[in-house]
């Protein structure tokens, strides 16, 4: 987190477009952020805001066609992943940068055993023999808290529960000791108790493996519990970036504030209706001029409708793209 | 053990299907089929002769007895003698079946193998000119009538107008060289015709599999594209592929070779069936229809067992 460290990942002006029948949709429009070693960063936003696409572009996994990185750079330990040849990128995938996905039900290949899928990764990246890889895989499964891993490893994904499958995914992702883990909604498909266990497992292993984690999620609760920093996205832009305490206690962007206000809270007085953000997310083909949040914002002015605010640093670790940031917490 | 139990159970459940198919075909072809009395006796037969021959043919028996007789014939594989040639039906089929198989298998296997390879290539280069070229040829192959293809290949390869390399008609399996010279042109024609349909089908299956989450996972773990196709994707595609291949076998064996055999003058099952239909040769027809039904039940059994082999989620229950 500290700024004296070199960032592990440096994303600059990333633009990703999708060619659709309705025209070109710019899913990510000039996104820049840094990830430092060992930190956990939450990438938050509503569905369609570009958070998953951001995660996928780091590993060059955007379905292409129709998607394409048209501009920007993703620098990982001195190499630009955008311009890196596919073969070299393949060597990074699953070894230096790993990714885990939302649906543990479908993310694993149903017709191969856990052992087959895990040793495949280990033999490819670590140069292990099948036998060594099998042993390493069992150790990894044990680490992620799978009971009787010697037996489980012989099974097929459909024989495991959702939580177990996600643990297998984590074991697979961490088996080569990555420096960066991109977790795309890793707990969304799981029930709440399993969610907590899986998240805890990730942060435990994060300390052991000294890796950075990008947690892509729409769940602010998850971010509050596990992340050091939060990056809020809206319509393909980053609108606020701050450390976790100031993001939750002192949100600067009206959208962040709106999101936080709309979280139901148990301990507080019961309200008749949760505050909601009025209006809808504009679709990518009909973006408003100026600030993309303008039509839904209660602080909107003529300035916002004419020019789009840029992401500007407020303090060393916080940045917001708003002409009229919230200065005091109103909730 | 589990598999054996499953096979037995499946064979038992195949019985109603067999009964249904044989019942319908018996009704349509035999019970309401042509009456052969006058065909055998001529115009000036006496009533005694007529009664005599009808008794021999079993026409005086009630419906269900006649159907039961047919079932007995199926079980014992004894269908009597062909009306047209007098040859025992089992001997006739025993003689012609190997010919049909030898004729059809190379084209069938090549037609599917080449189609899978082309489909993988097209799916791999999807959207590019390679894909468009392959799919363009598929549509052309599908659009040309089988008859035109046969005639075109005969003219190009087997006539003095073309290369004149192979015999136009006939069959000879006495040596491997002979076999090759007679089987090549029919095989080329079969492959040409089946390739279009097969490639389109297999490409659709593969492209759909490519969009699955587990393929994205594999890519996220650095699986190289070639390996992705032949390991991760192909095995997942095996269920629709197996279904298509196995279920086309009974059709190919019995009726698929009909056109080929009549155009190349090859004395196989297709030719025998065709002749039996046109002359109303009931013993032969009963045998062919019954065997087709049995083949379908077997095909179903084999596909189910193969499903289990390629997909662990399938249970044999």
């Amino acid at each position: 987190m500290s700024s004296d460290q070199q960032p592990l990942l440096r994303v600059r002006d990333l633009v990703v477009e999708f060619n659709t029948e309705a025209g070109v949709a710019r899913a990510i429009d000039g996104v820049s952020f840094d990830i430092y070693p060992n930190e956990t960063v939450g990438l938050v936003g509503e569905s369609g805001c570009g958070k998953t696409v951001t995660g996928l572009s780091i590993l060059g996994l955007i379905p292409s066609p129709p998607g394409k990185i048209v501009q920007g750079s993703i620098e990982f330990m001195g190499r630009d992943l955008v311009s890196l040849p596919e073969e070299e990128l393949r060597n990074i995938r699953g070894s230096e940068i790993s990714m885990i996905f939302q649906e543990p039900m479908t993310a694993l290949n149903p017709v191969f055993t856990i052992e087959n899928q895990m040793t495949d990764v280990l033999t490819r990246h670590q140069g292990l023999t099948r036998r060594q890889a099998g042993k390493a895989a069992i150790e990894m499964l044990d680490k992620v808290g799978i009971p009787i891993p010697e037996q489980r490893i012989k099974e097929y994904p459909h024989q495991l529960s959702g939580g177990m499958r996600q643990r297998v995914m984590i074991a697979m992702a961490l088996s080569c000791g990555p420096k960066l883990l991109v977790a795309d909604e890793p707990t969304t498909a799981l029930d709440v108790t399993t969610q907590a266990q899986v998240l805890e497992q990730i942060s435990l292993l994060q300390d052991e493996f000294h890796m950075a984690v990008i947690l892509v999620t729409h769940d602010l609760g998850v971010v509050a519990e596990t992340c050091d920093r939060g990056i809020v996205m809206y319509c393909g832009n980053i609108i606020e970036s701050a450390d976790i305490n100031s993001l939750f206690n002192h949100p600067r962007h009206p959208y962040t504030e709106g999101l936080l206000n709309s979280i139901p809270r148990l301990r507080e007085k019961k309200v008749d209706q949760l505050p909601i953000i009025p209006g809808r997310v504009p679709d990518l083909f009909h973006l408003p001029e100026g600030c993309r949040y303008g039509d839904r914002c209660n602080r909107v002015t003529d300035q916002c409708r004419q020019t789009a605010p840029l992401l500007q640093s407020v303090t060393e670790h916080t940045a917001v793209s708003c002409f009229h940031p919230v200065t005091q917490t109103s909730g | 053990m589990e598999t054996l139990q499953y096979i037995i159970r499946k064979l038992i459940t195949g019985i109603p299907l067999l009964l249904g198919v044989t019942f319908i075909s018996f009704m349509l072809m035999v019970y309401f089929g042509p009456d052969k009395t006058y065909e055998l006796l001529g115009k000036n037969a006496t009533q005694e002769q007529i009664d005599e021959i009808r008794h021999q043919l079993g026409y005086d028996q009630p419906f269900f007895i006649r159907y039961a007789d047919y079932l007995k014939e199926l079980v014992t594989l004894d269908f009597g003698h062909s009306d047209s040639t007098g040859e025992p039906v089992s001997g006739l089929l025993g003689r012609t079946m190997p010919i049909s198989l030898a004729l059809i298998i190379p084209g069938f296997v090549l037609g599917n193998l080449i189609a899978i390879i082309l489909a993988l290539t097209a799916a791999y280069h999807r959207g590019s000119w390679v894909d468009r070229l392959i799919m363009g040829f598929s549509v052309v192959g599908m659009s040309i009538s089988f008859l035109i293809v046969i005639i075109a290949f005969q003219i190009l390869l087997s006539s003095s107008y073309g290369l004149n390399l192979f015999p136009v008609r006939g069959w000879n399996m006495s040596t491997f060289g002979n076999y090759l010279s007679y089987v090549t042109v029919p095989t080329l024609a079969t492959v040409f015709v089946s390739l279009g349909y097969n490639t389109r089908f297999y490409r659709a299956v593969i492209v759909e599999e490519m969009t699955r989450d587990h393929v994205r996972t594999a890519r996220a773990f650095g699986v190289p594209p070639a390996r992705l196709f032949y390991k991760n994707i192909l095995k997942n595609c095996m269920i629709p592929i197996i279904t298509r291949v196995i279920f086309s076998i009974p059709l190919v064996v019995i009726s698929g070779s009909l056109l080929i055999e009549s155009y190349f003058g090859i004395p196989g099952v297709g030719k025998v069936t065709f002749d039996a239909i046109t002359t109303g040769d009931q013993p032969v027809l009963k045998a062919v229809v019954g065997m087709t039904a049995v083949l379908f039940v077997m095909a179903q059994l084999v596909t189910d067992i193969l499903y289990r082999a390629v997909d662990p989620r399938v249970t044999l229950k």
Side-chain angles (χ1 to χ4, degrees):
Chain A
M1 244 215 304
S2 52
S3 53
D4 45 271
Q5 261 182 310
Q6 281 290 313
L8 184 70
L9 185 82
R10 190 199 290 265
V11 177
R12 285 295 173 270
D13 296 317
L14 187 69
V15 177
V16 178
E17 286 180 348
F18 284 84
N19 281 309
T20 67
E21 277 168 23
V24 176
R26 192 169 268 215
I28 297 184
D29 191 6
V31 159
S32 305
F33 60 90
D34 289 337
I35 305 288
Y36 292 91
N38 294 348
E39 71 171 343
T40 307
V41 178
L43 206 54
V44 207
E46 290 169 273
S47 28
C49 70
K51 55 190 194 304
T52 295
V53 176
T54 306
L56 287 173
S57 18
I58 295 172
L59 274 175
L61 289 176
I62 297 200
S64 166
K68 197 168 185 274
I69 296 178
V70 289
Q71 196 189 305
S73 64
I74 302 172
E75 212 175 279
F76 173 74
M77 294 170 77
R79 287 160 293 180
D80 181 16
L81 302 181
V82 175
S83 56
L84 209 62
E86 179 71 18
E87 286 129 87
E88 287 178 46
L89 200 53
R90 273 207 300 277
N91 291 333
I92 293 177
R93 286 179 190 151
S95 69
E96 289 174 79
I97 307 178
S98 275
M99 186 151 185
I100 55 182
F101 297 97
Q102 180 170 358
E103 278 292 337
M105 302 292 171
T106 54
L108 291 164
N109 194 325
V111 302
F112 293 102
T113 57
I114 307 298
E115 181 172 37
N116 188 314
Q117 302 187 45
M118 286 191 74
T119 52
D120 198 62
V121 179
L122 282 160
T123 49
R124 183 168 48 251
H125 289 310
Q126 307 281 73
L128 301 182
T129 63
R130 284 259 145 205
R131 177 186 291 262
Q132 291 169 321
K135 265 184 78 179
I138 290 174
E139 273 168 36
M140 238 7 258
L141 288 178
D142 191 42
K143 267 189 189 147
V144 296
I146 288 185
I148 343 174
E150 313 78 36
Q151 241 171 60
R152 288 293 181 179
I153 199 166
K154 304 279 181 208
E155 295 185 356
Y156 289 92
H158 72 276
Q159 293 167 292
L160 306 176
S161 68
M164 283 294 167
R165 273 182 250 197
Q166 197 59 288
R167 283 167 198 270
V168 170
M169 272 304 296
I170 295 168
M172 212 162 121
L174 303 191
S175 60
C176 298
K179 291 275 163 292
L180 175 65
L181 176 72
V182 182
D184 184 8
E185 307 256 9
T187 56
T188 309
L190 306 175
D191 65 62
V192 183
T193 22
T194 322
Q195 250 183 43
Q197 290 168 353
V198 166
L199 285 172
E200 202 183 287
Q201 199 74 59
I202 293 179
S203 31
L204 263 173
L205 291 164
Q206 176 177 18
D207 294 338
E208 189 182 331
F209 285 87
H210 302 293
M211 62 177 180
V213 175
I214 299 179
L215 192 65
V216 178
T217 181
H218 63 264
D219 191 336
L220 286 167
V222 167
V223 175
E225 270 171 49
T226 49
C227 296
D228 306 314
R229 280 197 299 137
I231 295 174
V232 186
M233 289 188 73
Y234 184 78
C235 274
N237 290 145
I238 290 177
I239 52 118
E240 183 162 1
S241 157
D243 66 88
I244 216 70
N245 282 328
S246 47
L247 190 73
F248 279 84
N249 299 326
H250 190 87
R252 283 163 213 270
H253 198 284
Y255 176 65
T256 317
E257 190 192 30
L259 279 183
L260 289 172
N261 285 340
S262 58
I263 301 177
R265 277 164 231 260
L266 264 186
R267 283 181 284 273
E268 282 174 21
K269 210 175 65 175
K270 218 171 185 177
V271 286
D272 289 336
Q273 200 194 347
L274 278 171
I276 53 167
I277 302 175
R280 307 159 149 255
V281 183
D283 81 76
L284 293 171
F285 299 110
H286 305 97
L287 289 174
E289 286 218 12
C291 179
R292 292 179 181 181
Y293 185 61
D295 290 343
R296 305 172 73 186
C297 186
N298 53 8
R299 310 167 76 91
V300 64
T301 61
D302 284 346
Q303 187 193 13
C304 307
R305 295 201 191 280
Q306 278 153 18
T307 40
L310 297 171
L311 191 66
Q312 302 227 308
S313 299
V314 183
T315 66
E316 196 184 348
H317 296 302
T318 39
V320 63
S321 74
C322 184
F323 293 122
H324 314 289
V326 187
T327 43
Q328 279 182 330
T329 40
S330 50
Chain B
M1 201 55 218
E2 184 201 2
T3 316
L4 189 69
Q5 278 179 353
Y6 178 75
I7 292 174
I8 293 166
R9 258 204 318 277
K10 205 69 193 179
L11 284 176
I12 292 169
T13 53
I15 291 174
L17 177 68
L18 283 178
L19 287 177
V21 174
T22 50
F23 185 79
I24 292 171
S25 53
F26 172 77
M27 218 158 63
L28 294 179
M29 288 193 323
V30 183
Y31 194 72
F32 294 122
D35 188 325
K36 295 190 302 186
T37 318
Y38 299 98
E39 207 178 299
L40 293 172
L41 288 174
K43 278 179 185 169
N44 303 316
T46 63
Q47 189 59 42
E48 289 80 51
Q49 282 176 308
I50 291 175
D51 288 344
E52 166 70 22
I53 202 89
R54 288 184 77 82
H55 180 69
Q56 269 182 22
L57 289 166
Y59 286 179
D60 55 348
Q61 299 289 323
F63 178 84
F64 279 103
I65 303 239
R66 291 183 63 191
Y67 177 54
D69 280 343
Y70 173 41
L71 290 183
K72 202 176 92 194
E73 289 174 8
L74 260 182
V75 173
T76 56
L77 291 179
D78 179 10
F79 295 95
H81 298 261
S82 159
D83 287 341
S84 4
T85 61
E87 192 182 351
V89 174
S90 45
L92 183 70
L93 291 181
R95 181 165 55 80
T96 52
M97 194 65 97
I99 298 179
S100 283
L101 289 178
L103 172 67
I104 277 306
I105 285 172
F108 182 71
V109 172
L110 285 178
N112 280 295
L113 273 185
I114 299 175
I116 290 174
I117 293 167
L118 285 179
L120 281 171
T121 315
Y124 183 81
H125 297 285
R126 134 179 134 279
S128 77
W129 64 270
V130 179
D131 183 23
R132 266 178 244 143
L133 191 75
I134 292 175
M135 295 332 282
F137 272 114
S138 296
V139 174
V140 172
M142 284 162 66
S143 316
I144 301 175
S145 155
F146 197 9
L147 292 179
I148 307 282
V149 173
I150 292 175
I151 294 167
F153 272 107
Q154 283 181 333
I155 291 176
L156 287 175
L157 297 170
S158 321
S159 76
S160 51
Y161 299 106
L163 297 171
N164 207 2
L165 291 172
F166 302 98
V168 185
R169 295 173 67 81
W171 189 252
N172 187 340
M173 281 205 292
S174 56
T175 66
F176 188 65
N178 278 335
Y179 170 58
L180 274 188
S181 75
Y182 282 100
V183 85
T184 305
V185 183
T187 300
L188 286 177
T190 322
V191 169
F192 188 90
V193 168
S194 61
L195 214 49
Y197 291 95
N198 288 344
T199 308
R200 275 185 78 86
F201 177 82
Y202 294 141
R203 180 187 177 275
V205 169
I206 293 163
V207 165
E208 197 191 324
E209 198 59 41
M210 282 166 69
T211 64
R212 301 248 190 258
D213 283 354
H214 66 80
V215 175
R216 186 181 60 183
T217 308
R219 289 186 59 214
F221 282 93
V223 178
R227 187 175 167 78
L228 190 68
F229 269 84
Y230 74 76
K231 184 189 167 187
N232 302 61
I233 293 180
L234 198 56
K235 192 172 178 196
N236 283 281
C237 293
M238 280 327 274
I239 285 204
I241 292 179
I242 286 172
T243 314
R244 186 183 173 88
V245 170
I246 306 276
F247 273 93
S248 54
I249 288 176
L251 284 176
V252 166
V253 170
I254 302 296
S255 49
S257 56
L258 201 146
L259 262 181
I260 290 264
E261 284 174 15
S262 45
Y263 264 79
F264 288 92
I266 296 165
V269 177
K271 184 84 168 45
V272 167
T273 312
F274 182 73
D275 291 344
I277 292 170
T278 47
T279 59
D281 195 341
Q282 281 176 2
V284 176
L285 280 181
K286 284 196 284 189
V288 171
V289 169
M291 297 321 281
T292 312
V294 173
L295 263 178
F296 263 108
V297 173
M298 300 301 281
Q300 209 184 354
L301 184 68
V302 173
T303 36
D304 282 352
I305 291 166
L306 285 178
Y307 284 172
R308 179 70 183 87
V310 295
D311 192 337
R313 287 168 298 179
V314 176
T315 47
L316 296 179
K317 273 189 186 138

